Amino acid sequence: MINHDRSDRKVILVTGASSGIGKACAVHLAQADYHVYGTTRKSPDRVAKDLPSSQLNMIQMDVRDDLSVHRGIDSIIKEAGRLDVVVNNAGFGITGPIENTSIDEAKDQFETNFFGLLRVCNTVLPIMRNQGSGYIINISSIGGLIGLPFQGLYSASKFAVEGLTEALYKEVRSFGIRVVLIEPGDFFTAFTANRKKTARAETDPAYKNRFEQTLRIIESDEKNGASPEKVARLLVKIIRYSDPRLRYRVGYLPQKIAVTLKKFLPQKLFDQIIMQHYMPG
Ligand SMILES: NC(=O)c1ccc[n+]([C@@H]2O[C@H](COP(=O)([O-])OP(=O)(O)OC[C@H]3O[C@@H](n4cnc5c(N)ncnc54)[C@H](OP(=O)(O)O)[C@@H]3O)[C@@H](O)[C@H]2O)c1
């Protein structure tokens, strides 16, 4: 680990910093001279070797494991003495028809995307309360605002993140803690390759063709998605605001507009537009 002796720099933790959005954020923040810790479940030294910034401290953490989360955050406090910003980014997607998604598969999705985030929040909140300051930035998704076909459990996990974060914003404001949601549209990352399919996703004849067609569209949207650098640039702006908004949407304009349309269009019409995109024909 790198030792930083300047005490005026914000200390930042980014979960899931080995790849994609988390990596872009962690590297960008480190290059902007923040004191950054990034997490991976892999060997931190090996991951660090592939990073463009030697100013980034990689630590091992699995957000699905209480002990791992406590150990990781303890090690930061021991070394840096404080924690100013936490970016809850670690996550993955699961795809398949809801009808044949098992409860274990659903729990697997929530264990990382929702309970993992909650675990990290609950561990850092007492630290931030004692400091009288801190930023918790939760990476949600436009899929946390619009229920996406064949990504039902992923959407559900992000809707849950939205609800939790909206409540937390109110609960901890008086302690000087700022809580923010970043809601990305499609971004080109390893998310597509890391997506898990439910066991019966491709075998149920009732859904097979439709599922495969929709998945091709989802993957193509992501492969043509924006660069994660865009989220990193937004994040740097947010942590410089003393009183950021609860929600920031980021991504291609049509995807951001879709969320606005959901508010104003009749629900039936809006759902038709979404279905036409993901399930044409
Ligand atoms: N890409 C998109 O289009 C998009 C859109 C909206 C929202 N998002 C959200 O953005 C976040 C990052 O996704 P990404 O697109 O950057 O995907 P990615 O490239 O697959 O990166 C996922 C990161 O999460 C980490 N991770 C996964 N499970 C973990 C666990 N149990 N504990 C700790 N770390 C874990 C991985 O680290 P290790 O494997 O090294 O542990 C990796 O660094 C996710 O929350 C995702 O839902 C992505």
Side-chain angles (χ1 to χ4, degrees):
M1 276 194 188
I2 301 147
N3 261 325
H4 298 268
D5 42 20
R6 280 178 41 204
S7 56
D8 56 332
R9 297 191 310 165
K10 275 198 170 103
V11 180
I12 303 179
L13 168 66
V14 181
T15 66
S18 65
S19 163
I21 292 174
K23 178 176 171 180
C25 289
V27 167
H28 198 80
L29 289 163
Q31 288 171 343
D33 204 29
Y34 290 102
H35 185 168
V36 186
Y37 293 85
T39 79
T40 177
R41 290 165 299 173
K42 307 178 193 105
S43 153
D45 290 342
R46 214 171 306 151
V47 170
K49 270 191 205 138
D50 297 330
L51 294 171
S53 174
S54 60
Q55 293 303 308
L56 176 53
N57 302 270
M58 287 304 294
I59 60 170
Q60 203 160 35
M61 187 187 289
D62 183 345
V63 299
R64 301 162 72 98
D65 178 344
D66 285 343
L67 193 62
S68 171
V69 170
H70 281 119
R71 272 197 193 132
I73 290 166
D74 278 355
S75 73
I76 296 172
I77 296 301
K78 276 200 188 97
E79 192 176 81
R82 56 185 296 114
L83 189 46
D84 299 296
V85 180
V86 170
V87 183
N88 276 307
N89 164 77
F92 75 98
I94 191 167
T95 184
I98 292 169
E99 182 182 325
N100 55 41
T101 300
S102 72
I103 297 300
D104 281 344
E105 287 167 332
K107 283 182 175 169
D108 182 40
Q109 177 71 102
F110 271 74
E111 194 56 54
T112 298
N113 290 13
F114 179 74
F115 292 110
L117 176 146
L118 178 60
R119 233 172 239 117
V120 173
C121 285
N122 286 352
T123 311
V124 301
L125 278 166
I127 297 166
M128 292 184 170
R129 263 196 305 104
N130 284 336
Q131 290 172 179
S133 66
Y135 289 70
I136 293 181
I137 319 254
N138 291 339
I139 306 294
S140 173
S141 169
I142 285 182
L145 300 165
I146 299 169
L148 301 174
F150 300 116
Q151 297 192 82
L153 268 301
Y154 175 69
S155 266
S157 72
K158 294 295 189 180
F159 269 69
V161 166
E162 291 276 329
L164 178 98
T165 310
E166 214 176 278
L168 187 64
Y169 174 93
K170 302 174 183 88
E171 287 184 18
V172 300
R173 203 177 156 73
S174 64
F175 299 124
I177 303 171
R178 302 292 175 243
V179 178
V180 173
L181 279 159
I182 294 184
E183 299 161 332
D186 286 319
F187 279 81
F188 183 45
T189 68
F191 187 83
T192 312
N194 290 335
R195 178 180 278 116
K196 294 185 190 173
K197 283 182 194 159
T198 57
R200 292 189 56 211
E202 284 161 321
T203 56
D204 187 338
Y207 292 102
K208 188 177 175 354
N209 291 343
R210 186 130 270 189
F211 167 70
E212 286 173 353
Q213 179 201 34
T214 300
L215 186 58
R216 277 195 296 275
I217 294 166
I218 294 169
E219 290 183 344
S220 152
D221 287 351
E222 288 165 358
K223 284 176 185 152
N224 293 303
S227 159
E229 266 296 306
K230 207 169 178 161
V231 184
R233 285 195 295 273
L234 171 65
L235 178 65
V236 169
K237 272 194 209 156
I238 292 172
I239 63 169
R240 288 181 179 160
Y241 296 144
S242 57
D243 194 9
R245 298 199 307 262
L246 169 62
R247 288 192 163 85
Y248 292 84
R249 237 154 266 154
V250 58
Y252 288 140
L253 192 60
Q255 295 177 353
K256 293 201 277 185
I257 290 174
V259 180
T260 311
L261 285 181
K262 187 178 179 186
K263 279 192 200 148
F264 297 109
L265 287 182
Q267 184 76 49
K268 232 180 196 168
L269 178 59
F270 178 76
D271 286 336
Q272 264 166 18
I273 294 170
I274 296 295
M275 285 163 74
Q276 221 138 61
H277 177 74
Y278 286 109
M279 312 161 90

